[in-house]
Amino acid sequence: MSKTQSKSDVPPPYSDEPPRLDSSSAISLSNDLSEQSFSAPPRYTDADDTPPTSPVVSAPLLTHPYGHIDAHTFTHTYRDGSTSQRTLEPRLSEIPEVLVDFIQTQAQVPPQPVIRIRGTHSVKREDSGRDANRKNGSSKEEIVDFDLQIDFTPYIMRKSVNADEEEWRELTVAQDRQKVYTGGWRKAVVPLRSDEEGGVSDRTLEDWVKAYCVDKAPLKTFVMERRIGFLESDLIKCALGDLIRQTLNYRGNLNITLETLNKAVEIWSPHLINKWRNNWVQWVFYLSFLWIFTWPILFFMTRRYEVSVTTWPFARDQEVPGPDGRKVYRREFAVVSEENWVRRYSPAIKNAVLGRRQGWMTEEDLLRSEAEWASMERCQGAGGLINNALRGVLGVESDLRVLRGWGADEY
């Protein structure tokens, strides 16, 4: 691809509701899109490595042109918890200039990566009725010990040191010999394209948008995907797993995942069938099992254009002079490294896990936990450590969970 645009007791402050996208800043597709004045997220000028204390960006919702249908109807959720935004605005499928402007604007909106830390264990309950898991008059019930969600978006937002610094974010489109969805029901290799002088010329966003808009197929989609580049998520998962398993002695079922909200923007042609696929009609087919017959037909009928990607790098390789004069590369981070992120969030995660919290972690939780754990680490000697365990860590009721282990299945 080539670069085409550089453009249950939950004390406060925990909330059971995630930080939703701000609908007040939504891009209205019901007005004339060609006359919209879009603005990019603000550039950061703070040069230190401390992430901002307030939310970095709120991705605009795509408002559906038909007022009686709620915009959230067109938020598609994948099996892994990730989401994308969909719109059936007719002009985006008919006027290339409008679609190009829309894609370039949406490329300035980052994805919302979310780190989710969930711990559960099973207990045996006396069976009082029919239960698929019943064994010898009892059944298993899953108990949630903690369920934390951490917004990772601020750590893929590069803070500009000066106004002339090149943005890391880049919008790319499919080029020759790449295998992508180019207007068919399956992936195909992009054929070579020659210019007027007989050479090979790069494809642009305008080229793909024009191909999509002139396509007369009744069912078609154009997708711009948002990706997070060069993030070692396994390193974060392993570090958090060791923190909870070894430091906090947790023995339950631990699941640490990276979900991506707002991971793509999908433009669907405004055909009646596509409208049915995005409202209550689809549930009629699900419940009646008619999808068994209709899904294969729709799969083969839909023309897919998945040729544009916006990458938000967590890190990149920077070329620096080596000791012997040779050029070497070192890893440069948008904000902080994976290790430093884990180190900064460890106190807050310890606090939340031992407090059996469920919900989203905030900057206030982070700052408060840092202060509490820093104070506790000043206690010297075995007597101080035992005293901290007996008092309960970070205000949790006095018990010996950390010393003897906790969260194991109870059968």
Side-chain angles (χ1 to χ4, degrees), residues 322-333:
D324 56 353
R326 296 181 179 179
K327 295 180 179 180
V328 296
Y329 294 89
R330 70 175 183 182
R331 202 162 179 234
E332 181 183 8
F333 300 94

Side-chain angles (χ1 to χ4, degrees), residues 5-6 15 51 56 69 91 117 134 152 158 161-162 165 176 184 198 226 239 248 258 316 337 351 359 365 370:
Q5 181 75 13
S6 265
S15 170
V56 175
I69 299 179
R91 280 166 291 181
I117 308 171
R134 182 173 59 184
F152 202 76
R158 174 66 176 178
V161 178
N162 55 71
E165 181 179 356
D176 297 337
R226 298 185 179 102
L248 303 182
L258 177 65
R316 68 178 182 181
S337 65
N351 188 355
D365 301 320
E370 284 179 339

Side-chain angles (χ1 to χ4, degrees), residues 205-358:
L205 176 63
E206 289 77 6
D207 295 331
W208 287 113
V209 165
K210 183 178 180 180
Y212 169 76
C213 290
V214 300
D215 192 334
K216 299 303 181 182
L219 304 180
K220 59 181 181 178
T221 62
F222 190 96
V223 179
M224 186 205 70
E225 182 184 359
R226 298 185 179 102
R227 295 178 183 173
I228 303 168
F230 306 103
L231 171 63
E232 300 290 345
S233 59
D234 289 340
L235 191 154
I236 294 178
K237 295 176 184 178
C238 291
L240 294 179
D242 291 342
L243 173 71
I244 297 173
R245 292 289 191 193
Q246 300 178 13
T247 306
L248 303 182
N249 207 4
Y250 179 69
R251 299 180 181 179
N253 305 307
L254 181 62
N255 188 26
I256 303 174
T257 58
L258 177 65
E259 303 170 356
T260 306
L261 308 181
N262 204 28
K263 70 178 295 183
V265 175
E266 304 176 11
I267 294 90
W268 290 45
S269 58
H271 192 273
L272 180 61
I273 293 179
N274 276 346
K275 296 175 185 177
W276 286 351
R277 294 166 74 178
N278 289 280
N279 60 25
W280 60 270
V281 175
Q282 64 176 321
W283 292 103
V284 175
F285 283 79
Y286 289 150
L287 297 176
S288 62
F289 289 93
L290 289 175
W291 64 268
I292 297 175
F293 306 99
T294 58
W295 184 86
I297 298 175
L298 295 176
F299 178 81
F300 290 109
M301 286 183 61
T302 303
R303 300 283 187 89
R304 294 171 174 82
Y305 290 83
E306 299 182 9
V307 294
S308 60
V309 175
T310 304
T311 303
W312 293 78
F314 174 81
R316 68 178 182 181
D317 291 332
Q318 183 184 33
E319 186 179 278
V320 296
D324 56 353
R326 296 181 179 179
K327 295 180 179 180
V328 296
Y329 294 89
R330 70 175 183 182
R331 202 162 179 234
E332 181 183 8
F333 300 94
V335 181
V336 296
S337 65
E338 294 91 345
E339 294 86 351
N340 287 336
W341 184 91
V342 172
R343 187 179 300 112
R344 184 168 191 245
Y345 269 83
S346 290
I349 293 174
K350 291 178 185 177
N351 188 355
V353 168
L354 291 172
R356 298 179 180 269
R357 303 289 180 84
Q358 297 185 38

